Amino acid sequence: VGLRIVYSKVANAFYISGIMTDQLFADINMNNIRGKSKAFIMKIDPLGLTNTRVLVFDPDNLPDPKDALICFVSDLEISSDESEIAFTGMMTKAVGFSGYYHPMVGIIDLNLNLQWCKVYNFPGADRYSGIDVEYNTTNNNLFVLLNSSKYPFAMMELNNNGAIIQQPVKYEFSLPSLGSARAQKIHYVNGAIIVTGNCFVAGSISNTEDQLLFSYDIPVASNLLLGNNYFNSYSRELVPPG
């Protein structure tokens, strides 16, 4: 499954990232799901599919075979000079980490040569996955958007070598009835950040939910702690039953 596609004018090539699994959907036992996924980044240039190159990321094997082995690349971002591509996603890590599922961030060059790739281990019981990555155009740092198991989303800043500049900040909304929420995209504009995504709230009809599309402002990107405690809503639609 392809999750993200970008085009480089310098390389005259498309880059596709995503997730691939080790078995067909029709072969999965839905009462006892066991499987393994690998992340991939594919380069497609004018020579076409006969010359396709693929970079594959393998998750660690876990001690309990019933635990899922998950790895994916959810987003790609080309640098402004088109010399490199940043990526983010999730990696299963079994050794030296608390818990198993962690965000992954890295950089490749335009020929899929891996410059670095790091998996980040954060304290506490929250599980994070990398959803979106964006370059800070002033210093070439990376802003990484993280979806969390317990919060609407979180964000951190890395330097171009993967060191953490700003520790992950977990954002909460003031709306009491907010249900599950997921951020989807970072928009870096003039030193500020806007995050867009979707969330679910109790519906106006009993026992229903409404979906909201939202934006969330962080007015100063150099201080992720300055995010607002509210979000702006752009639509509200009833979630169909089932």
Side-chain angles (χ1 to χ4, degrees):
V1 177
L3 299 177
R4 179 71 165 151
I5 181 170
V6 295
Y7 174 74
S8 167
K9 292 182 180 179
V10 170
N12 190 22
F14 290 96
Y15 297 84
I16 302 172
S17 68
I19 180 173
M20 54 187 181
T21 61
D22 64 347
Q23 55 185 309
L24 297 174
F25 181 80
D27 296 334
I28 295 176
N29 179 357
M30 302 307 291
N31 296 314
N32 185 18
I33 297 178
R34 298 184 183 184
K36 178 179 181 179
S37 72
K38 297 181 181 182
F40 73 86
I41 303 175
M42 178 187 298
K43 179 182 179 181
I44 303 176
D45 57 25
L47 294 178
L49 294 176
T50 58
N51 193 43
T52 300
R53 282 164 284 173
V54 182
L55 177 64
V56 177
F57 301 86
D58 242 332
D60 283 356
N61 289 320
L62 298 181
D64 188 340
K66 291 183 291 185
D67 287 322
L69 305 179
I70 301 173
C71 188
F72 61 81
V73 173
S74 56
D75 189 51
L76 304 170
E77 186 71 22
I78 301 177
S79 63
S80 58
D81 63 358
E82 296 201 26
S83 63
E84 63 184 31
I85 300 174
F87 63 88
T88 190
M90 175 184 269
M91 169 72 83
T92 298
K93 198 75 175 172
V95 180
F97 284 75
S98 59
Y100 295 135
Y101 305 103
H102 303 274
M104 174 177 67
V105 184
I107 287 179
I108 58 173
D109 66 17
L110 297 185
N111 290 317
L112 298 187
N113 296 309
L114 187 64
Q115 307 303 296
W116 58 265
C117 179
K118 296 185 178 182
V119 179
Y120 296 86
N121 182 34
F122 302 127
D126 297 335
R127 186 171 70 185
Y128 294 96
S129 58
I131 297 300
D132 189 35
V133 61
E134 184 84 10
Y135 278 93
N136 183 333
T137 55
T138 61
N139 55 21
N140 222 35
N141 284 353
L142 300 174
F143 292 109
V144 183
L145 184 64
L146 307 166
N147 275 343
S148 166
S149 58
K150 295 183 178 179
Y151 293 85
F153 60 90
M155 190 177 301
M156 65 179 177
E157 183 181 10
L158 309 175
N159 69 14
N160 203 252
N161 293 314
I164 296 177
I165 303 301
Q166 293 193 71
Q167 290 283 343
V169 176
K170 305 171 188 175
Y171 295 96
E172 297 184 82
F173 299 140
S174 59
L175 187 65
S177 60
L178 179 68
S180 60
R182 288 293 179 265
Q184 305 293 345
K185 183 68 179 172
I186 303 170
H187 310 268
Y188 179 75
V189 183
N190 298 326
I193 290 175
I194 301 173
V195 175
T196 54
N198 68 299
C199 63
F200 298 90
V201 298
S204 54
I205 304 174
S206 178
N207 297 321
T208 65
E209 278 190 322
D210 290 347
Q211 178 178 227
L212 300 177
L213 303 182
F214 71 82
S215 69
Y216 182 85
D217 298 330
I218 304 171
V220 182
S222 58
N223 188 348
L224 297 177
L225 292 170
L226 294 180
N228 298 316
N229 64 349
Y230 59 88
F231 64 92
N232 300 307
S233 172
Y234 289 95
S235 75
R236 183 165 184 157
E237 298 292 338
L238 176 67
V239 179

